[in-house]
Amino acid sequence: MIAGQATEWVDNLHNIQQSFGVNEFLVIAPLSASGVVLDSPESSKLLSAVAIALSNCGSNWPAFVPVHDPSRKAYIGIQSTGTIFTRRFDADRIGSQVPVRLMHMEGLYELFVAKFASFDYPMNYFKVSFGMKLTYRTPPFDDDEEDVLENVEAEVKESEEVNDGYDRIKVQWDDDCPWAEWYSAEDPIKGFELITIWPRNTCESSMEMAELENASSFDAEKWSLYPLISPNMIDDSDGKFIGFASQLRLLVGALERSFDAKFLEDFVSAENIGSDNSNPAVVIPPPTVRDRVLKELFHDGAQISSSLDLESKNSRAIKGAPLESLFAQFCLQSLWFGNCNVRAIATLWIEFVREVRWCWEESQPLPRMPSDLDIDLSSCLIHQKLHLLAICIKKKNLLNHENHTSVEITGQSSDDKGLAEFDRNEILDLPQNESMVDEFDSDSPDSEGTTGNLTVDAECAVASPDAHKSCPIRKGSSGIVGNMMLLHSFQKMHAPYTQDAPVMTEDMHEERLHAAEVCGDAFSTSGQLERDILSSDMSAFKAANPDAVFEDFIRWHSPGDWESEEIEDRSTGNKEDPDQCNWPPRGKLSQRMSEHGNSWRKIWNDSPALPASEQKPLFDPIREGEKVLHYLETLQPHHLLEQMVCSAFKVSADTLNQTSFGNLQLMKTKLNQLYITLASSLRPLRANRTHDKYELIGDLRRLCLVFENIEKLLIFVSSLHRKLRDAPRLTEAIFNDYFNYYLPKMGNSSASICFDKKFSNKQQVSMLERDVVANLFPPPTANQSWRKVLSMGNLLNGHEPILREIIFSVAHRVGDCHYGSNIPWTHTEEIETHRMYIRGTSNDLQVALSVTSWD
């Protein structure tokens, strides 16, 4: 057997290399069940024969033979150096009942010195060189169960006196993590191992070794730390890791089955589930569980929160619902409802829609949904529909209030009538003071010639070509439009208050665009596609500008369709004089607007002069609300599941994105890459076309594996950050090591790969970080099971090392020692005559001795 170079305290050395300080070596073992040579004379003969053979070949390799019982890990060996020296090796182990004297460094020192000291060469004659390595292990971070059991009796007595014991519920490590609302993750870091290495030193007596045993661990030359990782963070077996990724995988399975039926009720029906009701794929949770979920969604006073602002900028590329919205929470609840099978989801959705209809019929605000914001067309369609319904409920309540007020308005004061007008403005989305704007002259900050809500324009007093006409009555003006003047009347143009375009979801926009294409009209935006919207704007413009013509409306509403023939400059001259004011404006309509039979001019001719406050509302909340409910109640299973998959991936990523892990750029980069991958992989679901079912499901399952890898990394880095919060450099170094170790598993294939099952990368701890690391070792209490009665010394906050390794050695110059008396050398050379490697604890001791002699 050949191994690499051996250096003191180097990781990944073979046991023989570390024990005897050799480089290359050869092990001769029998092909027996035990793998050792049990007979001592036989092992000696075998070793001698091997040594002769190696010498004849000119090889200096040491040869070893395993002896005794395999559990003792005993070896004997020999090495010919090619000179007059020969090295002999011997190793053995005490597996239990280690003598007390050998638990302490004083006794170990005396054991080594006894191997070469004699009456002629007493112990204090030699200067022994030694190096030491101590390994400490933190107590488990999950509370020690044995310690809990030891305190049960005391806690019961206390609880009987003061309370019922509910305050003593065990707290999980991740209770304050963003995923804790949905599942509790196993702590991926079970503990830390701290390795302290002491510098090489010399000792002349056992008393010095006794003093060293009481030395502080902070005196060690080097500290190295590495985490103990849970096996479940590495194991690829199904069911080993429970988190968002595992439930998303079940949701993808539900999507696969959703193509089997046209209606959600088909999955709930008992005739369609087959005979095996115990199959987890068809089990529906009991009604009590369903009612609890619906209560959390609807009846706990939950409202939309500011957490929408916490979404990643890359999250908006995924067509799903915002994190705290009603449909997003429905998707998250569905992941953990039963086994996330399609029957359970169908059952929950049907009850969910019933609750939504109850809110509509009872005019109750829809929880977790805004009612005063623009609909986000980048979200999924179900979320858009629920947002539209929330707006409809609000407008329905205002409309009901207006109708109720109109019945009782007779005989009421003018203030009460103003309140009714205010309610109407709310329904039309108009400013509260729209009806009062007309009381002021829009051309001047001072009021002039007002009569109620009607304004007699002061401009009538100015001589103009239209002076012979009656003074215009202006209504619904929001103010003048810059320096623009009307074409046929020497009056300033006023911008009217207009009704907002009807609130529309994505599918409504598409329908109206399609209708416009069929009609052959090419309006610029979807808000101008309908005739009644344009007619409403024209009516409001006419009311605000009684003397306006069609061309004036085009100049205000669609400036691109007015071709001006002048450079307007009204900085000088008398603005009250038409001749000096360069009036009227010169220009013409565009070709599109000047064509014979233009639909805009026809609508202009048919539109009456009415301010927005007196017009029929463009948006009918009752009709639109019923249409939303019809959509929700007739939604096909695969359309529901497709939107659920997109939203569930999005909100799961958004939830994990709130994890606190410090300023680790590598983790931030991986999260951003996850969002990009999600947006790309989920894009086929947002396109309303026929999918290749099997290809789609396969891609989504691979996406679940990618998500699981990032989720595991986030859980790991969260645990690491909270344990080493005050040592950010050390946290980042350990995470980078773990990431590089985990990187081979981060592909999108679940096929087995060559992967190191053990993470053992160690990071050096700086002097400034030692206090932070020492805090990982809290002082133990007297009743904790890991407190040892017989201490080995070198305690760290009361914790003894789990492993102590010591190397003793003695070196002599050949000419000065008893080996050099008959050596025909003209010079002297220092050689290591004795070396002893000791490894063990209070319950286990392994000793390996190598002796160099002159034959």
Side-chain angles (χ1 to χ4, degrees), residues 81 151 305 315 317 489 521 586 677 690 712 746 770 774 804 848:
T81 61
N151 292 319
S305 69
S315 174
S489 175
D521 246 329
R586 290 185 292 273
T677 303
T690 304
K712 285 183 176 180
M746 294 187 65
R770 289 192 177 188
R804 176 169 58 196

Side-chain angles (χ1 to χ4, degrees), residues 459-460 462-472 486-491 547-549 578 583:
E459 296 168 353
C460 290
V462 180
S464 71
D466 300 320
H468 65 280
K469 297 181 180 179
S470 61
C471 294
L486 297 181
L487 290 172
H488 292 180
S489 175
F490 185 65
Q491 298 178 24
D547 292 329
V549 294
W583 181 87

Side-chain angles (χ1 to χ4, degrees), residues 272-572:
N272 297 325
I273 65 175
S275 59
D276 188 7
N277 293 343
S278 62
N279 187 346
V282 298
V283 168
I284 299 177
T288 54
V289 177
R290 180 197 64 204
D291 294 343
R292 176 186 57 80
V293 170
L294 293 173
K295 183 175 183 295
E296 291 180 0
L297 289 172
F298 286 93
H299 304 303
D300 283 348
Q303 297 297 326
I304 198 74
S305 69
S306 59
S307 63
L308 291 174
D309 300 331
L310 300 178
E311 292 184 353
S312 166
K313 62 180 181 180
N314 295 320
S315 174
R316 297 185 62 82
I318 305 172
K319 199 170 183 62
L323 178 57
E324 290 294 331
S325 64
L326 183 59
F327 183 61
Q329 293 300 304
F330 170 83
C331 294
L332 287 174
Q333 291 284 1
S334 298
L335 292 178
W336 310 94
F337 185 68
N339 202 33
C340 194
N341 64 80
V342 69
R343 287 196 69 225
I345 293 173
T347 302
L348 186 61
W349 175 256
I350 292 172
E351 295 299 323
F352 173 84
V353 175
R354 287 175 181 170
E355 290 290 332
V356 171
R357 175 169 282 283
W358 181 89
C359 291
W360 166 253
E361 293 176 349
E362 299 297 326
S363 299
Q364 295 297 314
L366 204 58
R368 304 179 187 273
M369 294 302 300
S371 59
D372 55 355
L373 301 176
D374 293 334
I375 293 179
D376 183 6
L377 300 182
S378 67
S379 62
C380 66
L381 187 56
I382 292 178
H383 173 74
Q384 296 179 42
K385 293 292 186 182
L386 291 172
H387 191 172
L388 177 59
L389 185 63
I391 295 175
C392 291
I393 292 175
K394 180 181 178 180
K395 291 185 178 296
K396 176 185 175 185
N397 287 335
L398 292 172
L399 185 61
N400 291 338
H401 181 71
E402 181 193 14
N403 294 335
H404 177 73
T405 304
S406 64
V407 174
E408 302 177 356
I409 199 170
T410 304
Q412 293 181 354
S413 65
S414 60
D415 292 339
D416 294 330
K417 295 180 180 179
L419 179 61
E421 181 68 20
F422 167 76
D423 292 336
R424 178 172 178 81
N425 291 342
E426 281 287 311
I427 298 172
L428 296 174
D429 291 324
L430 298 176
Q432 297 179 13
N433 61 345
E434 192 267 337
S435 63
M436 297 186 293
V437 172
D438 303 314
E439 298 180 4
F440 301 95
D441 187 347
S442 301
D443 298 342
S444 171
D446 301 325
S447 60
E448 266 185 53
T450 59
T451 305
N453 287 347
L454 306 180
T455 300
V456 178
D457 215 313
E459 296 168 353
C460 290
V462 180
S464 71
D466 300 320
H468 65 280
K469 297 181 180 179
S470 61
C471 294
I473 300 176
R474 192 185 311 278
K475 301 179 69 175
S477 170
S478 66
I480 61 175
V481 184
N483 293 323
M484 295 182 67
M485 306 290 290
L486 297 181
L487 290 172
H488 292 180
S489 175
F490 185 65
Q491 298 178 24
K492 294 180 180 179
M493 181 183 294
H494 287 248
Y497 283 108
T498 59
Q499 295 192 53
D500 288 342
V503 183
M504 291 188 291
T505 58
E506 184 179 20
D507 60 330
M508 296 166 66
H509 278 289
E510 293 176 354
E511 289 176 4
R512 296 172 192 237
L513 278 172
H514 179 69
E517 293 174 357
V518 172
C519 294
D521 246 329
F523 297 150
S524 57
T525 61
S526 62
Q528 298 171 334
L529 293 177
E530 281 197 285
R531 184 184 188 91
D532 52 355
I533 300 176
L534 188 59
S535 176
S536 172
D537 292 345
M538 289 179 174
S539 294
F541 186 83
K542 283 184 176 182
N545 301 277
D547 292 329
V549 294
F550 175 67
E551 287 78 1
D552 290 320
F553 177 77
I554 295 300
R555 291 167 61 211
W556 169 71
H557 192 280
S558 181
D561 286 310
W562 175 256
E563 299 175 359
S564 179
E565 298 177 355
E566 64 178 4
I567 300 177
E568 295 188 8
D569 183 10
R570 300 184 175 89
S571 60
T572 61

Side-chain angles (χ1 to χ4, degrees), residues 622-637:
I622 306 299
R623 181 186 62 192
E624 297 300 331
E626 289 294 342
K627 289 171 66 176
V628 169
L629 289 169
H630 177 74
Y631 168 82
L632 297 176
E633 291 169 342
T634 59
L635 193 60
Q636 292 186 355

